[in-house]
Amino acid sequence: RWPCSQQKTRMSGKDGIKTLLEAENKATESVAQARREKGARIKQARDEAYNEVKQYQAQLDTQLQTAVSQGMAQSDKSSKLASETENQLMEIRRNAEANRVNVVRQILAWVSTVDTTAPKAA
């Protein structure tokens, strides 16, 4: 009886070890597979984040270019208006200077000409 029972125990011991080794190998493979999947998910998330950043950066670049071009157009308009205003002021000053002598003569003539005739009674 003992030899038979020892042989069964030895066989079941070998089967148990074999089962444990298979389970360990399966667990190792499961862990490795989980790591690969995690790595793939991380890579996908990183790629998606990179693409979102690139899209946002392109959007901001477009907004910047629009703002810069509008600012330049506004600046050009302001510059043109300032130039026109300055030209008009210079023309007014030239005209005033050219006519100053005539204006002074005319004012002096009005002031110095006194009508000495008496008004007629009604």
Side-chain angles (χ1 to χ4, degrees):
R1 230 170 118 147
W2 280 100
C4 237
S5 134
Q6 283 180 348
Q7 192 174 20
K8 280 184 183 179
T9 304
R10 283 186 199 154
M11 286 301 230
S12 70
K14 287 181 183 180
D15 287 340
I17 291 173
K18 184 178 178 183
T19 303
L20 286 175
L21 288 174
E22 287 174 0
E24 182 181 1
N25 288 337
K26 189 175 181 181
T28 301
E29 182 57 36
S30 293
V31 169
Q33 181 64 29
R35 284 184 181 157
R36 286 190 296 271
E37 289 172 359
K38 180 181 176 183
R41 284 193 311 269
I42 289 173
K43 184 182 182 308
Q44 180 183 3
R46 184 179 27 207
D47 291 344
E48 288 174 4
Y50 178 78
N51 289 334
E52 286 179 23
V53 167
K54 283 295 187 183
Q55 287 176 346
Y56 185 66
Q57 185 178 18
Q59 179 184 359
L60 290 179
D61 285 343
T62 302
Q63 290 175 353
L64 175 65
Q65 292 301 324
T66 301
V68 166
S69 66
Q70 287 176 349
M72 286 182 172
Q74 187 66 27
S75 175
D76 289 344
K77 288 178 185 177
S78 296
S79 176
K80 184 178 178 182
L81 182 61
S83 176
E84 289 175 2
T85 303
E86 187 60 34
N87 289 339
Q88 289 173 355
L89 286 173
M90 288 174 61
E91 182 66 26
I92 291 170
R93 287 182 188 127
R94 277 194 300 266
N95 288 337
E97 188 63 33
N99 293 321
R100 183 168 57 134
V101 173
N102 292 334
V103 170
V104 169
R105 280 186 193 154
Q106 193 173 18
I107 290 173
L108 286 175
W110 287 337
V111 171
S112 62
T113 306
V114 178
D115 187 14
T116 56
T117 59
K120 294 186 179 180

